[in-house]
Amino acid sequence: MQEASDEQLIKAAAAGETAALGTLVERYKDRVLTFMAWHFSLPPEEALDMTQEVFLAVWKSAGTFRGESLFRTWLFSVARNVGLGYFRHYVAKKAESAGLLFGDEEFENIPDGAAGLLEGLEAEERRALVRGAVQALPDKLKAALLLREWEGLAYEEIASVLQVPVGTVRSRLHNAYARLLKSLGEKDL
Amino acid sequence: MSCDKDMKRDVLLLAAGLLPAARAGGVEAHLAGCPACAALRQAVLEERAALKEAGAPLLAAGRRFSVTPELTAAPARRFAFALAAAAACFAVFVLLRGEPRPVPGAPGGGMTPAPSGGFSVAEGSGPAPSDLLLKLSGRRAAPVYISGPRS
Ligand SMILES: [Zn+2]
């Protein structure tokens, strides 16, 4: 039997099937946790509390998912809304405005490209190197990268999730790729 | 030598699938005659492939999430939140197993409607976390235990 899609599961959850919600939680809990921690610059403990809130909100509003977007896009929008609702009373949008601190509309300089930077490395070594470089990025850039590379959202969808102009998504991702190129280029082999 | 900042920016955006289509043609034409920019594009493509291969460095919860029917739950847990679907005939709550600790703030259900028209989130609906459980009648679901990664 084929595994149920996210979209099938959220519809089942809307109809009251807790097991369907459970499957979605299982699929996405680490990804939502990571998104909350990065996008709102939260320590893991708080991000975990927020992640619970996100799934609570998903459950409560499952009936409003109309299937006009991917479930993932909807989920991360709910996550961002939950985070914002929380911060509205807590630190008054500090997390949202923090984006400006590192020049959200600026495109950073790109080092001269050298193809084959990661050639000749063992797969495990390469993975560790790349993960380390990602970890070192500013939180906001990591959050955008998560949505783009690992959740596979188009940049217009990311803009809709984060409620920022597409230019901001472009600059965040651009800066993430540029910084990664730089740090991978500087690696000691 | 290398090209100017704007061209390199566009080359990166093109390789990352972020360049507006209207600007793509000009950059493609430039790439055909510029080895430096072609190398940059290749580097970005390799970088993205390496990102995919490495996978997201996800944070692991180190605690357990569980989704259980309310009847199996203790009534007043700090980490219990009511979950109620409009049409649902039973209540569930998400319970975080772990030592209690203070909450930094209440969420208040203040979610803003989602923007794109593709979906929406009800404003201010649902219980405050202190309401813990919504009593709903009806059938009982089997417990679903979801374990996070052990840390
Ligand atoms: Zn060039």
Side-chain angles (χ1 to χ4, degrees):
Chain A
M1 192 187 118
Q2 218 179 355
E3 216 176 48
S5 72
D6 295 342
E7 289 72 21
Q8 289 167 327
L9 288 168
I10 189 64
K11 282 182 182 132
E17 280 184 37
T18 51
L21 178 70
T23 305
L24 287 171
V25 172
E26 181 59 39
R27 262 180 211 177
Y28 283 99
K29 62 185 166 57
D30 288 344
R31 293 146 73 174
V32 171
L33 170 71
T34 306
F35 174 76
M36 297 309 273
W38 286 349
H39 185 65
F40 292 104
S41 286
L42 293 172
E45 281 291 302
E46 273 181 49
L48 189 55
D49 277 358
M50 296 303 305
T51 302
Q52 305 239 54
E53 298 285 347
V54 170
F55 286 109
L56 169 66
V58 164
W59 180 242
K60 285 195 296 195
S61 48
T64 68
F65 177 73
R66 296 202 289 274
E68 289 163 20
S69 65
L70 287 177
F71 170 74
R72 282 200 300 287
T73 308
W74 181 79
L75 170 66
F76 285 101
S77 295
V78 170
R80 183 246 175 212
N81 283 344
V82 166
L84 209 54
Y86 178 86
F87 279 107
R88 191 169 291 136
H89 304 291
Y90 184 38
V91 284
K93 291 198 164 194
K94 169 175 159 282
E96 285 279 285
S97 57
L100 300 172
L101 295 177
F102 60 85
D104 235 348
E105 299 299 338
E106 263 175 42
F107 291 85
E108 295 180 6
N109 284 322
I110 307 164
D112 284 329
L117 275 180
L118 296 165
E119 267 171 22
L121 294 175
E122 297 289 335
E124 203 42 59
E125 201 181 355
R126 190 167 57 235
R127 275 195 285 271
L129 194 70
V130 170
R131 284 180 187 164
V134 170
Q135 290 287 23
L137 291 174
D139 286 338
K140 277 275 194 304
L141 302 190
K142 281 192 284 198
L145 205 59
L146 178 76
L147 296 177
R148 173 66 175 175
E149 292 297 348
W150 298 296
E151 300 301 336
L153 301 190
Y155 66 88
E156 297 92 340
E157 291 175 312
I158 298 172
S160 139
V161 166
L162 301 181
Q163 284 295 284
V164 295
V166 289
T168 301
V169 174
R170 274 198 200 101
S171 67
R172 284 187 197 175
L173 287 169
H174 172 282
N175 293 349
Y177 294 124
R179 286 188 187 207
L180 287 174
L181 279 180
K182 187 160 184 289
S183 69
L184 295 174
E186 285 168 352
K187 72 190 184 302
D188 273 331
L189 287 183
Chain B
M1 69 142 253
S2 66
C3 290
D4 69 11
K5 189 181 167 190
D6 288 348
M7 179 53 73
K8 285 169 77 173
R9 180 197 64 208
D10 281 1
V11 168
L12 183 150
L13 291 175
L14 179 70
L18 298 167
L19 193 69
R23 266 158 55 199
V27 178
E28 293 279 9
H30 174 83
L31 280 164
C34 179
C37 287
L40 173 61
R41 172 168 65 178
Q42 188 57 28
V44 174
L45 294 175
E46 286 172 13
E47 175 186 76
R48 295 190 67 204
L51 285 169
K52 290 229 163 57
E53 180 203 44
L58 294 178
L59 304 174
R63 291 178 184 234
R64 290 174 53 190
F65 274 87
S66 66
V67 182
T68 58
E70 61 147 317
L71 292 176
T72 65
R77 282 253 184 114
R78 148 64 187 88
F79 289 114
F81 299 104
L83 295 176
C89 291
F90 49 80
V92 197
F93 68 91
V94 176
L95 164 68
L96 175 63
R97 300 261 168 88
E99 65 283 1
R101 58 183 197 81
V103 216
M111 293 164 42
T112 51
S116 69
F119 51 84
S120 65
V121 175
E123 180 82 37
S125 68
S130 58
D131 293 340
L132 285 186
L133 296 175
L134 282 189
K135 299 288 182 197
L136 295 170
S137 63
R139 63 189 195 272
R140 296 174 64 170
V144 183
Y145 294 101
I146 296 155
S147 300
R150 318 233 184 274
S151 63

